[in-house]
Structures are given as C-alpha cells and as structure tokens.
Amino acid sequence: MKKLFLILMLGVLGVFISSCESTDDPVTPAETGSVFISSTPSGAQIWVHGVDSGKVTPNTISNLSAGTHQFTLKLAEFLDTTFSITVVANQTQNPSITLNEALNYTVYQDTIWETVGTSASQPSGLDLSTGMAYGVSSANKMDVDIYYSSNGFLVQSANLNTTNGLTRVTQFRAGTSGTLSDGTNSPLVSSGTWTNNVGDRETNYFFLYDDDGHYSKAKITAFGGGTPGNPAFVVITWWYNNAANFPRF
C-alpha cells in the first residue's frame, strides 16, 4: 500500500515539474540596428563583411547585430574604400564617405615633324593610345589621331588631312596652365568650345578627346627646326586616360 502511494506521489510530482518547465513565454529577439550609407559620388556597391549586399549608395543596411561591422564601397574608376561602423541597437548610423579616384593614365612623349619636306624617319602623326609616331602617308596612317601640319604650323585633328585620307577625329580644348600636374581635369567634350587644332607655339597644355572616346592632357614641351632643309618639329608630352570617357587627371 505504501509503495502504491509513493508511486502515485512521484507521478503527480513529475507532472508538476513538467508543467513548471513548459512555458509559452516568447524568446526575446536579439536587438539590431541599421546603417544608412551615402557616398560622393553616389552609386557605389555596398559590401558587408566581404559580401555584396546588392545595394548601392545611398541606401540602408538593416537588421545588423549590435557591435562593429565592416563595410566596403566599390565604384568603377574609384578606389575601393573599407571602413568600420559600430552599430547600436535600435539606432541608425549615418556615415557619409568620399571615394578617392583611381586614376589610370599613361604618360607618353614623342616628336613629330611638319608634313612638308620630311622623310620616312620623320613621322608627323601620333597615335594617342599607344604613344607611337607614324607618317601621315605610312601603312599605319589610319591609326593617327593628331598630326603636325605645315599649313599654318598647327597640331591638328587627323581627319583634316584629306590628302592622305585620314579619318580619325580628335577634338582640342585649350587649358589655362602650363603645368600638366596641376590637378585640373578635362572639361567634358559636351561642354564649352572644342576646336580641331592648336598652334605649334602654344605654351599652355590642351585637352584632347579622340575618336575612341578617350581624354588626353597634352603639352608642347619643345620645338625647333623650321629653316631651309631643316623641317620644323614639336615634342609633345601627353597623359592618356586609359578609361574611356573619363576626364580626370
């Protein structure tokens, strides 16, 4: 009898303990915060801990756990920018990031001679993209972007040489300084006045926009000749931007 009573009591106690352990109380979710990221310029991809979020600036990254998180902004022709933000629960952080330009240009220099009275070893035209000098009647004449004309002693767009059938169009825009490294970017080809030549004694740099849509920043750094039997020549130094339609230097 005592054993039966003890068994019954243990059963009741087990049910009581079980009912005490069972609860319908909800689990408190982890508190999160957000980060609203803007950038100059905008449109940069937002990566979080090395993973592309699929969003671009300006935009909000939500549901981030409280603590420090690493972000990277990526935009073509700008350096990747990585930074950390401390997220606070139930708050939104608002970092504004300025991206640094990833300049990608090649520096060239070559000599070109006037189109009259020169030999095959004295080419008068330049291929801006490769830095190569070619004669306006050579086998590579169709690669010429600009050439040095004896008619007016102008450095001008290749398509002005109709005698040799050159076709490539290059536009010119005068600069305001003689220092190529002054940090001045090219005006957009769609703005202001662009021409098709520059004089051979120009002392300021000038901007070029070629047939392939690339900007250059050029300067006549030396000149000479121009006497009987001694053709005139100019030395041109130019910075060729390897990114199409990218006017920064």
Side-chain angles (χ1 to χ4, degrees):
M1 190 68 176
K2 289 182 179 180
K3 289 183 180 180
L4 179 60
F5 178 75
L6 182 57
I7 291 173
L8 290 174
M9 288 299 294
L10 289 173
V12 172
L13 182 60
V15 171
F16 177 76
I17 292 173
S18 176
S19 64
C20 289
E21 291 178 346
S22 177
T23 177
D24 293 327
D25 292 340
V27 176
T28 303
E31 293 185 322
T32 62
S34 302
V35 177
F36 176 80
I37 304 174
S38 59
S39 69
T40 304
S42 60
Q45 296 177 342
I46 304 174
W47 290 58
V48 184
H49 296 296
V51 178
D52 188 358
S53 70
K55 298 182 177 182
V56 298
T57 58
N59 221 318
T60 300
I61 306 298
S62 304
N63 300 318
L64 294 168
S65 60
T68 301
H69 293 267
Q70 185 182 78
F71 302 86
T72 300
L73 300 186
K74 299 185 178 187
L75 182 63
E77 298 168 357
F78 288 82
L79 297 174
D80 290 356
T81 301
T82 299
F83 56 97
S84 296
I85 294 293
T86 299
V87 173
V88 179
N90 303 313
Q91 294 185 19
T92 298
Q93 310 303 315
N94 297 276
S96 179
I97 308 298
T98 298
L99 304 178
N100 294 315
E101 297 168 352
L103 298 181
N104 178 22
Y105 59 81
T106 302
V107 179
Y108 295 113
Q109 183 180 81
D110 214 329
T111 302
I112 51 176
W113 283 262
E114 62 172 303
T115 49
V116 174
T118 54
S119 65
S121 62
Q122 296 171 312
S124 54
L126 289 175
D127 177 349
L128 296 173
S129 65
T130 65
M132 298 297 295
Y134 298 120
V136 294
S137 60
S138 70
N140 297 99
K141 66 181 183 179
M142 303 311 291
D143 295 326
V144 170
D145 292 298
I146 61 175
Y147 75 104
Y148 184 23
S149 174
S150 297
N151 184 12
F153 290 97
L154 301 172
V155 177
Q156 58 189 26
S157 175
N159 71 307
L160 297 180
N161 190 318
T162 56
T163 300
N164 297 104
L166 276 59
T167 60
R168 292 179 64 79
V169 177
T170 298
Q171 300 186 59
F172 291 66
R173 176 74 178 266
T176 57
S177 165
T179 305
L180 285 169
S181 59
D182 66 354
T184 301
N185 298 323
S186 174
L188 294 177
V189 71
S190 59
S191 66
T193 302
W194 289 72
T195 62
N196 56 17
N197 65 68
V198 66
D200 68 345
R201 296 299 184 264
E202 176 61 59
T203 57
N204 285 343
Y205 56 68
F206 46 94
F207 297 102
L208 302 169
Y209 184 78
D210 64 30
D211 210 63
D212 298 318
H214 288 254
Y215 289 92
S216 295
K217 189 176 184 180
K219 187 177 189 300
I220 296 171
T221 50
F223 55 83
T227 59
N230 185 20
F233 67 87
V234 291
V235 178
I236 298 182
T237 302
W238 72 101
W239 296 1
Y240 179 84
N241 202 310
N242 296 295
N245 295 302
F246 194 58
R248 299 182 178 90
F249 292 95

